[in-house]
Amino acid sequence: LSPDYYSRLEQGRQANISDEVLDALARALRLDEVEHADLRDLAAPTPRHRAATTAHAMQRPDPGLLRLMHTLDHVPVLLLGHRGTVLARNALLTEVLGRPLEPGTSFVRYMFQDPAARERIVNWAEFASATVATMRRETARRPHDNRLAALMAELRSGDDDVARWWDDHTVRDYTSVAKHIQHPTAGPLSFDIEIVCAPHEPDQRLVVYTAQPDSPTARVLPILASWNTARAAAS
């Protein structure tokens, strides 16, 4: 590539970039699979008219993912849509995190604007930085989503951590990570987070908090569930 051509690429002034050039740049820059996909989305964004239509359409929870969530009611489960919006969650998830997280609320806002998140999630910084990286990945996939852009601009201006993680340009897809919770009554809880997507609904992700069999966390989850049931019956 000539220096002039590469400069136009960096400045977003070069249209119709070939797959061969994108693949060569990915190899030269040693991009991983997610970073390579992000480069492709940045180089060939979704047409504005189609993106605007999907950005403002109200997401409805996928019925199959909802059925799976109810099947997994013995562990905390959360269904997320665009911009980290909560589409559904089970009672055990609210018990573990200590917040209702009603459908329509923002899990991203919870992570950065609710002090309880930093207090209860022991490895908050690791989990929060991954959240910023997934939102940066989503902005490349949905470049005309003004609500997403406004959300991230607000968080970056109000939180130094978000601004720093955003500016390092790390991108990630939703991936399995460990999450450690300090529950005020049940004590320390350890989960591996698994992500489930339906092939026909790639913009919805079922977030499942799994626990090792016979671990202290697995043994205490039924107790937490019974507390939630008892409170619901009392109300």
Side-chain angles (χ1 to χ4, degrees):
L1 301 181
S2 70
D4 180 62
Y5 185 88
Y6 189 77
S7 177
R8 293 200 303 273
L9 290 179
E10 286 191 322
Q11 296 171 18
R13 296 187 292 111
Q14 179 63 44
N16 303 320
I17 307 170
S18 70
D19 289 342
E20 291 77 9
V21 168
L22 291 175
D23 292 344
L25 284 172
R27 289 194 300 272
L29 297 172
R30 300 180 181 179
L31 303 184
D32 62 26
E33 183 177 345
V34 175
E35 292 166 336
H36 192 170
D38 194 59
L39 177 64
R40 284 182 174 275
D41 287 333
L42 291 170
T46 303
R48 181 178 295 274
H49 67 280
R50 182 157 62 89
T53 299
T54 57
H56 296 290
M58 180 179 296
Q59 268 192 306
R60 298 184 181 278
D62 177 72
L65 292 177
L66 281 179
R67 288 193 296 270
L68 182 55
M69 184 182 75
H70 293 315
T71 302
L72 298 172
D73 215 32
H74 59 289
V75 294
V77 183
L78 176 71
L79 180 59
L80 294 178
H82 297 153
R83 313 175 200 96
T85 301
V86 176
L87 300 179
R89 83 283 181 266
N90 64 9
L92 197 49
L93 187 282
T94 65
E95 184 66 48
V96 166
L97 295 185
R99 287 292 184 266
L101 292 175
E102 296 288 352
T105 60
S106 170
F107 189 78
V108 179
R109 289 187 184 279
Y110 157 75
M111 285 294 299
F112 295 105
Q113 295 181 339
D114 190 334
R118 299 178 191 245
E119 296 170 1
R120 189 165 290 208
I121 303 173
V122 177
N123 58 331
W124 177 88
E126 178 185 359
F127 206 78
S129 63
T131 300
V132 173
T134 60
M135 289 297 100
R136 177 173 271 286
R137 176 73 186 96
E138 185 167 346
T139 59
R141 293 175 56 243
R142 303 167 59 81
H144 306 302
D145 189 337
N146 295 330
R147 291 172 60 187
L148 174 60
L151 170 64
M152 295 315 300
E154 175 192 338
L155 293 175
R156 288 159 57 198
S157 65
D159 191 305
D160 291 341
D161 288 325
V162 178
R164 174 167 51 85
W165 289 325
W166 185 268
D167 289 342
D168 72 14
H169 292 271
T170 300
V171 293
R172 290 181 61 170
D173 272 331
Y174 288 85
T175 54
S176 302
V177 295
K179 195 169 191 176
H180 305 292
I181 304 291
Q182 183 59 45
H183 193 276
T185 307
L189 305 172
S190 295
F191 298 98
D192 290 315
I193 307 299
E194 306 298 337
I195 309 297
V196 179
C197 295
H200 57 281
E201 196 62 77
D203 290 329
Q204 295 189 23
R205 295 165 178 82
L206 199 67
V207 184
V208 184
Y209 288 51
T210 65
Q212 291 293 330
D214 298 323
S215 66
T217 298
R219 290 193 291 269
V220 81
L221 283 178
I223 300 174
L224 287 175
S226 69
W227 292 347
N228 188 274
T229 301
R231 277 196 293 271
S235 61

